[in-house]
Amino acid sequence: MDEAEIQRKRRDNEEQATKNRARILGLPYLDTRDFENVIPLVPGILTKEEMRKNFIIPLQKGDNEIPYRFLVTSQTPNSLLPELRKKYTDEGQHIGFFLISSSAYQAFMQRYDPPKKVVYDDIVIAKEGDSETIAEVSKTLNSVSTEQVFNFLIDQADRLKASDIHIENLRDQIRIRMRVDGMLHPVAEISRDRYRIIMGELSARADLSTASTKPQSGHMQQDIFRGRSSHLLNIRVETVPTMYGQDAVLRLFNFDESLLNLDLLGLSEGELVTIKEIVSHPRGLVLMVGPTGSGKSTTLYSILNALNTPERKIITLEDPIEYGITGITQIPIHTNDGGSFAEGLRSVLRLDPDVVMVGEIRDADTARTAIQASITGHLVLSSFHANSTAAAFARMIDLIGTNPIFASSIRLLIAQRLVRKLSDSKESYKPDAATATYIRNALYGVDVDLNDITLYRPVPTDDAPFGYKGRAVLMEQMVVSEDIQAYLRGDIKDIDTHTIEQSAMQHGMLTLEQKGLLAALRGETTLEEVSRVI
């Protein structure tokens, strides 16, 4: 039985009970379902306060016999009916009362006195030490109605372009923080009595348990409306039990397939050419490395979108699915419930895909299965946790040992970070001698003019309170050369991260540090921001 049918049966039962009560009270019963949303209202007879206090509705002016008709409920005070009868009789009028159900009364009151749409002040991110702004936002969040507090929080996070919302239980309050452009900012401290409201709504939407004593993962979606436009927000939910309750982190993904485009990632022409050339081959392994929140998923999805043509069958294995892409078969892997990427990958290879994306390589079994798939006619994309492309090789060798098949399958490694971009209000300055020397040493051999070094610093404005606006991609690309394959096969002994990195740099690779310094010299970001993320 669907929800509409359940509601209809409830109303039927309520109307039958009201009809029975009318018989006991000696009042005529009236079923208003056919006209409660269309019959004209009669203003000016009773005030809204009187209608709410006494649970009574002036229906309409009737015929000459009974010109005034009032709808009453079982909660209408008994003393009110004689008072109204006396009043209208003294005026020479006749009056009639009809008993209606509570649902009918609420339907009429929704029309007589519809709830006012409350507009709450937008959330503002406080600068360091700005306790007044935090107090003001806390006051706003504490005043938002029970039904709206959760929607309001997500809507405001989206407006601020936050990547995630952190809901943290402290002893006396709940702290709300949002990560904007990669930085975590305190937003508000709200009263503890809102904990059950927020967690109850979150659990219902993301299919989580409020009583769980274990970490949980969930997923939900919310439509966001901005003026005449709207977009769908995918939200990944992670909760963990703490001393004072369940803390939650909501990761926000603004789903728009048109934005999953390699040309919109802000990559250089050379970086784009390298990626497109590698993924145009029908087989091989491409690995994305970097910490959580470095944009790996967005880049991988953008590559998939570029490969998404009617001639290719593309399958993904994800935990969880962060974006839904038309034309691609996406399979959730529930690792918390015993599922594994390796087992899922072996299954989907029987479906003869051209391209497979494995959400993450976490163990030797998944690594070996992905490598095997990449040398048997499949292009395999995946992510891997490592600090750099060279470190990824060292970690993979620790995982599966020296492996000639891995050496022939891996074609490209991409390490990625996101740095905050300076707003247009930035100002230039000349670095001190030590900083200039560091930059020249780090960029030695790179084709760039370092005779007159200029750097830039943020200047806060109303539009960019911290002097930054948006984020830019820093990407380290290691195309696997014959020399690196020799290291991976074990032909050259005693290799380490530094050795592999130096070999790649001799073939033209720029490290993440070098990419970051070049971005700072171009005025796209600051030296401090590069140091923070790398």
Side-chain angles (χ1 to χ4, degrees):
M1 185 183 298
D2 61 20
E3 183 65 24
E5 181 66 14
I6 292 172
Q7 293 298 333
R8 189 185 67 76
K9 284 189 173 294
R10 284 177 180 168
R11 184 68 186 269
D12 285 344
N13 293 336
E14 184 181 5
E15 293 299 332
Q16 185 59 48
T18 304
K19 186 176 182 179
N20 294 338
R21 183 163 182 78
R23 193 178 301 116
I24 296 171
L25 295 174
L27 288 173
Y29 160 73
L30 189 61
D31 187 342
T32 65
R33 280 178 286 186
D34 290 339
F35 58 83
E36 61 194 25
N37 293 317
V38 295
I39 193 170
L41 300 179
V42 183
I45 296 178
L46 296 175
T47 66
K48 294 171 184 175
E49 289 73 21
E50 288 174 323
M51 286 187 271
R52 288 204 177 276
K53 177 183 176 182
N54 297 311
F55 297 91
I56 186 170
I57 299 288
L59 177 60
Q60 62 182 12
K61 289 188 177 181
D63 51 32
N64 292 331
E65 185 177 344
I66 307 179
Y68 289 97
R69 299 166 188 256
F70 289 89
L71 309 182
V72 298
T73 74
S74 58
Q75 293 175 280
T76 303
N78 291 332
S79 59
L80 181 65
L81 275 60
E83 290 177 9
L84 287 174
R85 278 199 182 99
K86 183 176 187 306
K87 173 186 174 183
Y88 283 95
T89 301
D90 290 346
E91 295 177 359
Q93 304 287 346
H94 293 285
I95 186 173
F97 295 102
F98 299 83
L99 192 69
I100 62 170
S101 66
S102 293
S103 293
Y105 167 78
Q106 293 297 339
F108 277 109
M109 283 308 300
Q110 279 285 102
R111 296 178 60 206
Y112 267 104
D113 190 20
K116 296 178 178 63
K117 181 175 176 59
V118 181
V119 178
Y120 299 102
D121 293 334
D122 285 337
I123 287 177
V124 177
I125 297 294
K127 297 178 184 177
E128 188 174 352
D130 183 4
S131 58
E132 289 185 10
T133 297
I134 292 178
E136 194 62 35
V137 175
S138 302
K139 182 179 177 182
T140 297
L141 274 180
N142 277 316
S143 70
V144 174
S145 69
T146 300
E147 299 83 4
Q148 296 177 335
V149 62
F150 201 73
N151 285 346
F152 177 73
L153 201 56
I154 294 173
D155 178 83
Q156 290 294 298
D158 177 78
R159 186 185 63 81
L160 291 166
K161 294 182 170 56
S163 60
D164 40 66
I165 305 170
H166 294 245
I167 302 171
E168 302 161 319
N169 288 277
L170 308 180
R171 174 183 290 182
D172 301 317
Q173 58 205 1
I174 299 171
R175 180 171 64 178
I176 306 293
R177 295 195 288 175
M178 294 184 185
R179 192 179 298 279
V180 180
D181 290 337
M183 293 290 287
L184 202 56
H185 299 282
V187 169
E189 294 169 347
I190 61 178
S191 59
R192 287 282 305 171
D193 60 6
R194 310 232 90 180
Y195 169 73
R196 292 190 181 278
I197 296 167
I198 292 175
M199 291 308 299
E201 185 72 16
L202 180 63
S203 300
R205 293 195 193 188
D207 194 23
L208 303 175
S209 168
T210 56
S212 176
T213 57
K214 297 180 180 179
Q216 301 177 90
S217 297
H219 177 264
M220 54 187 281
Q221 294 181 326
Q222 181 167 316
D223 285 309
I224 301 293
F225 298 93
R226 293 272 178 268
R228 295 183 179 180
S229 64
S230 66
H231 59 268
L232 181 65
L233 201 62
N234 275 315
I235 304 166
R236 188 162 123 194
V237 181
E238 303 289 341
T239 67
V240 62
T242 68
M243 181 184 295
Y244 301 111
Q246 291 192 57
D247 280 13
V249 176
L250 282 65
R251 298 199 64 197
L252 278 57
F253 301 93
N254 183 350
F255 179 69
D256 186 340
E257 280 190 49
S258 65
L259 298 179
L260 299 176
N261 187 323
L262 284 171
D263 295 327
L264 299 179
L265 295 181
L267 306 181
S268 69
E269 186 177 345
E271 289 169 336
L272 279 173
V273 168
T274 298
I275 292 175
K276 290 179 178 179
E277 195 278 327
I278 293 292
V279 301
S280 66
H281 288 268
R283 68 172 187 85
L285 178 62
V286 175
L287 285 181
M288 284 285 308
V289 303
T292 301
S294 60
K296 299 190 303 294
S297 295
T298 301
T299 300
L300 281 172
Y301 276 111
S302 297
I303 293 173
L304 287 177
N305 228 8
L307 294 168
N308 189 10
T309 63
E311 303 85 44
R312 290 191 181 96
K313 184 174 182 66
I314 303 176
I315 298 178
T316 71
L317 303 168
E318 306 174 60
D319 178 26
I321 295 173
E322 293 176 358
Y323 297 98
I325 303 180
T326 306
I328 292 178
T329 302
Q330 296 174 265
I331 302 172
I333 302 295
H334 303 291
T335 54
N336 288 344
D337 297 328
S340 76
F341 283 113
E343 184 180 331
L345 182 55
R346 282 190 285 268
S347 298
V348 302
L349 290 178
R350 303 187 193 108
L351 303 178
D352 191 29
D354 297 293
V355 182
V356 179
M357 186 186 86
V358 181
E360 186 180 348
I361 292 178
R362 301 175 182 173
D363 52 58
D365 191 15
T366 305
R368 292 192 181 96
T369 307
I371 291 166
Q372 190 65 38
S374 68
I375 62 169
T376 56
H378 308 91
L379 177 63
V380 180
L381 312 175
S382 190
S383 66
F384 191 59
H385 277 285
N387 287 328
S388 66
T389 54
F393 276 129
R395 273 207 65 210
M396 188 64 77
I397 290 171
D398 287 342
L399 201 61
I400 62 174
T402 303
N403 191 316
I405 300 178
F406 176 52
S408 60
S409 68
I410 183 71
R411 297 181 56 79
L412 175 67
L413 282 101
I414 300 173
Q416 187 169 298
R417 300 288 191 280
L418 295 174
V419 291
R420 291 183 293 171
K421 291 169 62 177
L422 282 166
S423 68
D424 294 337
S425 62
K426 64 192 174 187
E427 67 178 18
S428 62
Y429 70 96
K430 298 296 181 183
D432 57 43
T435 302
T437 300
Y438 155 66
I439 292 173
R440 290 190 177 98
N441 290 339
L443 293 177
Y444 179 77
V446 179
D447 185 16
V448 60
D449 183 6
L450 297 175
N451 291 319
D452 185 22
I453 296 176
T454 301
L455 295 174
Y456 298 83
R457 60 170 65 97
V459 176
T461 62
D462 290 341
D463 191 41
F466 299 93
Y468 295 94
K469 196 166 186 180
R471 289 193 286 179
V473 174
L474 298 182
M475 184 176 284
E476 175 182 298
Q477 295 179 334
M478 182 186 289
V479 179
V480 180
S481 64
E482 287 289 338
D483 290 347
I484 294 173
Q485 285 183 346
Y487 291 130
L488 302 180
R489 286 193 299 266
D491 298 347
I492 302 174
K493 304 298 182 183
D494 300 324
I495 65 166
D496 56 25
T497 299
H498 180 71
T499 306
I500 295 175
E501 185 173 87
Q502 289 299 310
S503 177
M505 290 174 69
Q506 289 172 9
H507 287 83
M509 185 190 83
L510 296 178
T511 65
L512 279 170
E513 181 185 27
Q514 290 173 327
K515 288 290 187 70
L517 292 176
L518 290 173
L521 293 175
R522 291 193 299 268
E524 294 173 5
T525 190
T526 63
L527 192 61
E528 292 75 18
E529 183 69 3
V530 173
S531 299
R532 182 182 70 84
V533 301
I534 300 176

